[in-house]
Amino acid sequence: KVIGHLLTVFVCFVSVGSFAQKPDLFLLKTYQNGKEVTGWLMSEKLDGVRAYWDGHKLISRSGHVFNAPPWFTEGFPSFELDGELWTKRNDFENIVSIVRQQEPDERWSKIRYRVFEVPHQPGDLLSRLAVVKAYLKIGDRQMLAIDPEVVKHSYLDVLPQIEVESQEHLNDFLRDITD
C-alpha cells in the first residue's frame, strides 16, 4: 500500500513537471471565399507545431512543456510570444518527432520558432510584432559586438505579414505557397 502511494506521488510529480497552464491562444478562422479582404494582413499558415513562449519556456496549445535545449531558447525575450516550431513545408511529422523528445537532441538545430503574435503587447498586430523585431535588432547588435561569429536569436524570427492589395493578390500569394 505504501509503495502504491509513493508511485502515485511520483506519477503526479512527473506530470506536474512536464505540463504548464494551458495558454489562452488566439485561433484563426477559415477564410470564406468572396469576403472583401483588401487591407487585411496575410501570412503563410505554417504546418508545424504551435508553441507559446511564456518568457521562460515553450508550451504547446494543450499545456505540454516542450523540452527544447537551452541553446535553442538562449536569447529569447522575457516577454510572451506565440508562433510555430517549423522547419520547411511538408515536414510536419519530422517536426513532431523532434519536439516531442524527452531528451532534446541536435535535430532542434533544424527548427525555427516563427513568431506571428506577441500577446499582451499594446497596439495592432504590426505594432505588437514591431516589439519583437526591435528586440531582435538590439540583441543582434549586442551579440555582434561581443562575438561576430555568433548571432543570438538564430532560431527565432518573425513570420512576415503582408497587406492584401486585392483579391487577385491574395490568390497569387496562395498559389505561390501551394505550388
Side-chain angles (χ1 to χ4, degrees):
K1 189 172 184 177
V2 171
I3 292 175
H5 288 300
L6 289 175
L7 184 57
T8 302
V9 170
F10 176 75
V11 170
C12 290
F13 176 75
V14 170
S15 296
V16 170
S18 59
F19 284 89
Q21 182 175 352
K22 183 178 173 182
D24 183 23
L25 302 176
F26 178 74
L27 299 176
L28 298 177
K29 299 196 177 11
T30 303
Y31 166 71
Q32 295 178 359
N33 206 5
K35 191 166 193 142
E36 175 55 45
V37 293
T38 301
W40 289 23
L41 296 174
M42 65 179 167
S43 62
E44 181 174 355
K45 165 44 177 108
L46 302 177
D47 190 21
V49 175
R50 181 90 177 256
Y52 174 76
W53 174 252
D54 71 353
H56 306 285
K57 59 192 170 298
L58 287 166
I59 305 168
S60 75
R61 284 175 38 187
S62 62
H64 174 79
V65 176
F66 292 110
N67 291 317
W71 51 260
F72 183 85
T73 58
E74 181 182 7
F76 278 28
S78 59
F79 53 87
E80 298 164 273
L81 303 171
D82 189 6
E84 199 89 359
L85 295 167
W86 191 74
T87 55
K88 61 184 180 180
R89 294 181 186 136
N90 302 315
D91 201 30
F92 178 74
E93 289 82 12
N94 181 47
I95 298 165
V96 169
S97 75
I98 295 169
V99 303
R100 297 286 182 191
Q101 294 285 325
Q102 287 299 323
E103 292 295 322
D105 58 34
E106 75 286 344
R107 295 179 305 150
W108 271 86
S109 66
K110 296 180 174 125
I111 293 180
R112 296 191 59 79
Y113 184 49
R114 310 291 314 271
V115 175
F116 50 72
E117 177 61 283
V118 187
H120 309 293
Q121 293 291 328
D124 62 11
L125 178 61
L126 294 179
S127 299
R128 294 190 304 271
L129 289 172
V131 171
V132 72
K133 286 179 181 180
Y135 173 84
L136 292 172
K137 285 181 184 176
I138 290 168
D140 287 347
R141 281 197 306 269
Q142 289 173 342
M143 194 58 178
L144 283 170
I146 296 168
D147 184 353
E149 299 298 315
V150 180
V151 177
K152 279 191 174 186
H153 320 298
S154 59
Y155 302 105
L156 172 65
D157 66 6
V158 176
L159 186 65
Q161 301 294 319
I162 303 161
E163 186 172 343
V164 178
E165 297 169 6
S166 66
Q167 185 67 46
E168 183 179 351
H169 180 221
L170 173 68
N171 293 340
D172 290 345
F173 179 79
L174 179 61
R175 194 171 25 262
D176 288 346
I177 62 173
T178 57
D179 284 346

